[in-house]
Amino acid sequence: MKGRVLAIASGGGHWIQMRRLLPAFEGMDVAFVSVSPDYAADVPGHRFYPVRDAHRFDKVSFAVLIGQLAWILLRERPNTVISTGSAPGLVCLALAKYLIRAETVWIDSIANCEQLSSSGLQARRVADVWLTQWPQLQGQKGPYYWGAVL
């Protein structure tokens, strides 16, 4: 990853997994996005943007989320967007891919050991790098297994 990076994860385990990637971002210009303003305290020294949490059944929240993410992407202009999930991360990758032509990376949650998450399955369409954290879930055309975050 070169230049500016935008790292996005929804709450709970997705955010914990993103935080565990912090050493990989050493020396990079990284901004973080998540669904709780409280998470800003977890990434001191980095720009942080809280966004609305949304899921596929709540169209109003999705509309708000899309607007928030488009604004963040246009403000930050990242070269790479990386997500550990879930829905906000998938939406951000899609917007980044088509709005600003950023490189996109999806890391499916470690919690999905038997099958990919719903967002993870859809991420194959917008992720330049599509990863799983379970070797048994990798395929010849992806997702690929490069190791686990936890």
Side-chain angles (χ1 to χ4, degrees):
M1 292 182 285
K2 299 181 210 171
R4 296 178 79 133
V5 175
L6 186 70
I8 178 168
S10 44
H14 298 287
W15 180 250
I16 290 168
Q17 289 173 71
M18 183 60 73
R19 284 183 30 223
R20 293 191 180 204
L21 290 171
L22 277 170
F25 300 136
E26 190 73 32
M28 294 181 190
D29 181 11
V30 184
F32 289 88
V33 178
S34 193
V35 296
S36 173
D38 295 339
Y39 291 162
D42 294 335
V43 288
H46 294 281
R47 295 175 307 288
F48 180 87
Y49 300 92
V51 294
R52 186 134 180 205
D53 199 2
H55 55 80
R56 63 184 172 196
F57 302 114
D58 184 352
K59 293 179 185 186
V60 172
S61 289
F62 244 93
V64 171
L65 176 66
I66 289 168
Q68 290 175 318
L69 292 173
W71 179 84
I72 293 166
L73 287 166
L74 292 171
R75 179 181 171 123
E76 286 291 325
R77 298 279 182 184
N79 302 95
T80 304
V81 177
I82 183 170
S83 181
T84 53
S86 171
L90 178 62
V91 171
C92 192
L93 262 62
L95 287 171
K97 184 85 171 159
Y98 300 112
L99 185 64
I100 61 170
R101 307 260 189 249
E103 178 183 41
T104 55
V105 179
W106 177 271
I107 303 172
D108 207 47
S109 174
I110 192 120
N112 300 305
C113 62
E114 294 181 15
Q115 63 184 22
L116 291 175
S117 67
S118 173
S119 295
L121 284 169
Q122 295 176 50
R124 74 174 168 248
R125 296 184 186 120
V126 294
D128 295 306
V129 178
W130 182 38
L131 303 173
T132 177
Q133 296 186 61
W134 294 97
Q136 68 270 20
L137 295 182
Q138 72 180 332
Q140 287 185 326
K141 295 183 180 181
Y144 302 103
Y145 173 75
W146 290 359
V149 174
L150 295 180

